[in-house]
Amino acid sequence: MIQLRYAVGATAFALLLWQGVVWITGVPAFILPSPLRVAQAAIANRALIAENALVTATEVILGLMIGTVLGAITAVPLAGSARLHRVVMPLLIFTQAVPVFALAPILTLWLGYGVASKVVMAVLIIYFPVTSAFYDGLTRVPADILDMARTMGGTKGQIMRRIKIPHALPSLGTGLRLAAVYAPIGAVIGEWVGASKGLGYLMLLANGRAKTDLMFASLLALVVMTLLLHLAITKAADSLGRR
Amino acid sequence: MTPAPTIRLRGTYHIEGQQLFGPIDVTLPAGQWTCVLGRSGVGKSTLVRLCAGLPCTGEFDGQITASDGADLAERVSFMAQSDLLLPWLSVLENTVLGARLRGQAPDIQKAQGLLDRVGLSAHLHKKPSALSGGMRQRTALARTLMEDRPVALLDEPFGALDASLRADMQELAAEVLADKTVLLVTHDPAEAVRLGHQIIVLTPDAAEKWPTPPEMPIRDQYAVATISCQAGLLARLRQSP
């Protein structure tokens, strides 16, 4: 509760500062609109923003779900076989060296202007952090516990299912918290490169028509969406860690 | 369960070319407690790992045999200083972990009976975080008993408990593991003298048998013979090596 009060206080302070800068400098609204003007634009265009936010939210959530499932099902076999890890991990790191932003035009070319290319962007951007965080959790089970499991005659599959995976869930939660912040970046970059809907598309459209207040309002919607997603995933991740 | 075998361990152990201990020749008599003492780093826990068939960092040149000729693997249960309870499982689920790990259906009734025997029947569904240190170690003991293996390997299982709890746990363990071949690694001469049918002092060169008082364990810790044996053992441990 105290944390929330601080957050509200800091946001109010930033808004006041912003409004103050606009008043004092008299900067034109198409360069920097005042927060008041952004709020007015947000209210006036609420249906437009909501429609596009829904598209971006769909891309982000689909990307998160697919990226998480892919990350998790990659991490489990990697953690189960040191040899597989030696072969696959360098490949994964190599793919991380390719900037995802540079892939956006190619993905749009291959998958079109629809939701698919943005979902793939979001998946690409979160896949590695999720895989890596879950893998770390799976391989950091205390050696004593694994020794005990071996003396009990535990099978490899059951040790994975009943010890390693439950032990790694808090680590997976950490990966998901990162993913919640990264996934919208992937979706919006995808929308910038080529889309007919979504908050990224709306921002570009507003910018091109010098409707800077609408651009800021769209950006605000994106920030709120990302924060809500982060909050929801943090709650889910905390419950994973508390079991 | 097969009857508890006598176990004989003969050999030398090296880590990166340096001899840790040996050559030693240790016999763990069937159905009795053998307590192993020695300085830190002399290889006491390595003995446990060797008997359990667990991977070790060094090389063991020798053999470990059971009197019935059968393989020791899957006939040993293991208890360590930390209770090794899985924090996301309840007391009951931790107790039946072995069956779950083997992909078998656990015998819940038997587990409940064992937990009753170690005084935890009122706490079956609690998570380890809701238990005291003593209750956690009793859960670990129930889990060991649940395995019903003829050989129990205990690596300082009571080391982290306070003195009175430790005495309670020693009595409980001696009672419930009475018919098993037990190897107990300990730092505490009092514990070894109380529980051991046989006491071994492990040094880099040998595994010395230490004479035990004439009465059978579990021994009276206030008896003169027990206290005098403890004192002698402590004096031996303080000598070098």
Side-chain angles (χ1 to χ4, degrees):
Chain A
M1 215 47 211
I2 290 172
Q3 211 179 355
L4 185 71
R5 245 181 270 162
Y6 277 118
V8 170
T11 311
F13 177 73
L15 287 175
L16 278 177
L17 196 68
W18 177 5
Q19 186 77 49
V21 167
V22 172
W23 270 337
I24 292 164
T25 59
V27 61
F30 69 89
I31 301 282
L32 180 65
S34 68
L36 210 63
R37 209 177 156 127
V38 171
Q40 283 166 347
I43 294 166
N45 296 288
R46 59 187 180 278
L48 182 68
I49 292 173
E51 184 194 339
N52 285 285
L54 192 67
V55 174
T56 305
T58 309
E59 293 160 0
V60 169
I61 290 169
L62 277 176
L64 262 178
M65 282 166 35
I66 298 172
T68 304
V69 170
L70 284 180
I73 58 177
T74 310
V76 169
L78 285 187
S81 159
R83 188 178 296 172
L84 195 65
H85 178 252
R86 276 198 296 274
V87 174
V88 175
M89 212 53 181
L91 280 176
L92 280 183
I93 291 170
F94 177 77
T95 60
Q96 283 304 293
V98 179
V100 180
F101 317 106
L103 290 177
I106 303 168
L107 288 175
T108 309
L109 180 73
W110 288 345
L111 302 168
Y113 285 81
V115 170
S117 54
K118 287 78 191 171
V119 172
V120 172
M121 278 292 289
V123 169
L124 285 180
I125 222 164
I126 70 161
Y127 172 69
F128 188 75
V130 171
T131 308
S132 173
F134 196 34
Y135 173 83
D136 281 351
L138 289 170
T139 50
R140 284 188 190 157
V141 179
D144 279 353
I145 290 185
L146 295 179
D147 285 345
M148 176 188 72
R150 283 186 202 113
T151 60
M152 285 172 160
T155 64
K156 233 178 157 184
Q158 290 292 340
I159 291 176
M160 178 62 81
R161 180 181 158 200
R162 300 200 179 264
I163 297 180
K164 290 186 178 177
I165 291 179
H167 180 267
L169 287 182
S171 304
L172 179 64
T174 307
L176 289 181
R177 270 193 286 259
L178 278 179
V181 182
Y182 289 165
I185 300 176
V188 168
I189 291 171
E191 288 170 357
W192 281 348
V193 171
S196 53
K197 269 180 185 142
L199 286 174
Y201 159 78
L202 188 60
M203 283 160 77
L204 273 192
L205 191 76
N207 205 28
R209 294 179 185 176
K211 288 186 173 177
T212 318
D213 49 359
L214 177 60
M215 201 206 78
F216 270 90
S218 311
L219 186 64
L220 198 67
L222 186 67
V223 169
V224 170
M225 197 178 83
T226 306
L227 285 179
L228 287 177
L229 196 65
H230 187 257
L231 203 68
I233 287 194
T234 300
K235 281 218 154 194
D238 283 351
S239 73
L240 284 182
R242 255 202 315 271
R243 288 151 319 107
Chain B
M1 188 185 81
T2 53
T6 293
I7 297 168
R8 190 168 177 198
L9 186 146
R10 277 171 296 175
T12 311
Y13 189 84
H14 290 90
I15 295 180
E16 290 170 2
Q18 292 268 342
Q19 183 174 310
L20 183 66
F21 62 72
I24 59 166
D25 186 347
V26 179
T27 300
L28 313 178
Q32 294 196 1
W33 283 60
T34 300
C35 297
V36 176
L37 295 113
R39 295 193 159 218
S40 292
V42 78
K44 301 185 297 295
S45 294
T46 304
L47 279 187
V48 168
R49 296 187 71 83
L50 287 171
C51 290
L54 290 169
C56 296
T57 44
E59 275 173 41
F60 178 62
D61 181 18
Q63 55 185 172
I64 302 164
T65 48
S67 53
D68 52 13
D71 196 6
L72 263 184
E74 302 196 4
R75 289 202 296 166
V76 300
S77 56
F78 173 65
M79 212 176 145
Q81 181 171 1
S82 104
D83 51 65
L84 305 180
L85 297 181
L86 301 182
W88 56 88
L89 295 181
S90 68
V91 165
L92 183 62
E93 281 299 318
N94 265 297
T95 307
V96 299
L97 179 69
R100 296 255 193 247
L101 290 178
R102 292 186 292 274
Q104 299 162 348
D107 184 345
I108 298 289
Q109 267 194 332
K110 181 181 166 192
Q112 284 173 334
L114 285 172
L115 285 165
D116 189 30
R117 207 167 154 194
V118 298
L120 287 174
S121 51
H123 309 283
L124 296 183
H125 302 294
K126 284 188 184 163
K127 296 279 170 68
S129 56
L131 304 178
S132 68
M135 287 155 94
R136 293 170 65 105
Q137 205 54 305
R138 275 186 280 157
T139 309
L141 184 60
R143 183 188 55 203
T144 308
L145 293 175
M146 189 68 196
E147 291 302 290
D148 207 10
R149 306 280 177 94
V151 181
L153 306 169
L154 314 179
D155 191 357
E156 294 183 59
F158 316 126
L161 303 177
D162 67 56
S164 75
L165 252 177
R166 193 185 311 172
D168 291 347
M169 281 298 296
Q170 286 167 352
E171 283 159 23
L172 183 64
E175 180 200 328
V176 295
L177 296 171
D179 53 344
K180 302 186 192 308
T181 304
V182 179
L183 171 63
L184 171 71
V185 165
T186 178
H187 277 296
D188 180 5
E191 184 167 273
V193 177
R194 233 187 143 204
L195 297 173
H197 294 86
Q198 173 180 250
I199 295 174
I200 285 174
V201 177
L202 187 65
T203 67
D205 307 316
E208 295 170 16
K209 255 194 196 180
W210 191 260
T212 54
E215 68 266 33
M216 295 300 279
I218 188 169
R219 298 187 180 91
D220 176 8
Q221 69 260 51
Y222 308 112
V224 174
T226 314
I227 293 170
S228 139
C229 180
Q230 272 176 39
L233 197 48
L234 180 60
R236 170 65 191 90
L237 289 169
R238 294 184 75 181
Q239 288 170 14
S240 60

